[in-house]
Amino acid sequence: VLAWMALGYLQARRAAGLPCRILVNAFTLNAIGNLLDAIQSKSARYVPSPPDVVYLGSQPGSGLNPAIRHISFRQRDASAEAWETLESEHLIVGCSVWALNKLLNAGQPATTEGPTSPLFHLICIDEASQMVVSNGLMALAGLAPGGRVLVAGDDKQLPPVRTVHTQEIEGRLLGGSLYDFLKSAEVAEYP
């Protein structure tokens, strides 16, 4: 469903003559790779002039579809290649919050403001029940003004797989999962 929603958003912006760069993020590298794979295969089959699909950072343990371009920060000039890629008008990028942070810290001075940069028109976060709030906020560091955030998860499944210290402040749950935080803030939920 996330793959279809991301591609639908891209097509809607493209039809309106607008650029669309999408960030795909999740708690695990394998989840990021799986979502990118779904987006790439649907895009290749159903989208006229499919966008580039790129993975930044350490490759998931399950590997990547060969049609997904991989930019590893272990490569020489990887940051420059990533920034050049981000100049595309229509692009789908997958990476961990740590790879995004590394990219932003090695950023282009004209486009970054400290640890943030207005890069992505849509940020898709998967496995939000396993991701802690702080990591979810790190994923938003690349959100462009007027950008959208799409979060998927299931609070009936796995919570974060590390020690959490949930605190309730003004009715909002902090310190636990991103999903629980958004639910406590009464963000619209669509089962």
Side-chain angles (χ1 to χ4, degrees):
V1 171
L2 275 177
W4 285 118
M5 293 175 86
L7 287 172
Y9 189 76
L10 180 127
Q11 286 300 96
R13 285 188 62 95
R14 190 181 263 177
L18 298 170
C20 187
R21 286 182 301 277
I22 297 173
L23 173 66
V24 171
N25 190 263
F27 174 68
T28 65
L29 300 181
N30 283 338
I32 297 167
N34 290 341
L35 185 50
L36 278 183
D37 185 41
I39 290 171
Q40 192 285 322
S41 62
K42 287 169 179 41
S43 174
R45 186 167 180 185
Y46 299 107
V47 175
S49 303
D52 285 337
V53 180
V54 178
Y55 183 90
L56 299 178
S58 299
Q59 194 170 128
S62 61
L64 286 170
N65 178 324
I68 297 171
R69 190 165 127 215
H70 179 217
I71 301 173
S72 170
F73 287 116
R74 293 181 181 156
Q75 296 168 215
R76 188 171 171 224
D77 297 327
S79 292
E81 181 183 355
W83 280 103
E84 184 179 315
T85 300
L86 287 165
E87 291 176 8
S88 298
E89 280 204 340
H90 301 100
L91 176 70
I92 299 173
V93 175
C95 67
S96 69
V97 294
W98 304 108
L100 177 62
N101 183 267
K102 187 173 198 163
L103 176 70
L104 294 176
N105 282 324
Q108 308 290 350
T111 59
T112 58
E113 291 184 33
T116 66
S117 184
L119 299 170
F120 301 104
H121 305 98
L122 176 66
I123 295 179
C124 296
I125 301 174
D126 198 7
E127 296 183 343
S129 65
Q130 295 177 49
M131 183 180 282
V132 292
V133 174
S134 57
N135 285 11
L137 294 175
M138 287 175 68
L140 302 182
L143 189 63
R148 302 281 191 242
V149 180
L150 177 60
V151 177
D154 185 348
D155 61 342
K156 307 272 189 286
Q157 290 186 354
L158 287 175
V161 289
R162 68 176 220 190
T163 304
V164 294
H165 304 284
T166 302
Q167 299 291 318
E168 185 174 333
I169 299 173
E170 297 179 13
R172 295 198 172 123
L173 297 176
L174 298 173
S177 80
L178 176 63
Y179 190 98
D180 288 340
F181 168 72
L182 293 171
K183 192 171 183 174
S184 71
E186 299 180 7
V187 171
E189 234 182 325
Y190 302 95

